[in-house]
Amino acid sequence: MFKKLMQCQAGATAIEYGLIAAGIAVAIAVVVFALGTKLNSLFSNINGMLP
């Protein structure tokens, strides 16, 4: 039974895909946060220039 369990790779593959998806989600969140701050600053400057 243990030998059969060690040969099964489906669970490991699912965990690997989950980790990859989590890494991509973190990268997207960091980029959105960084761009959001810069865009907020840009629009604030533009708003300040308008009469």
Side-chain angles (χ1 to χ4, degrees):
M1 182 175 162
F2 186 70
K3 186 176 180 180
K4 191 175 189 180
L5 182 63
M6 292 301 292
Q7 291 175 349
C8 180
Q9 296 291 321
T13 303
I15 291 172
E16 290 168 357
Y17 282 129
L19 290 172
I20 291 169
I24 291 171
V26 168
I28 290 172
V30 168
V31 169
V32 167
F33 181 76
L35 287 179
T37 304
K38 288 182 181 181
L39 285 175
N40 188 21
S41 175
L42 175 68
F43 286 127
S44 294
N45 289 339
I46 292 172
N47 191 29
M49 293 179 192
L50 295 175

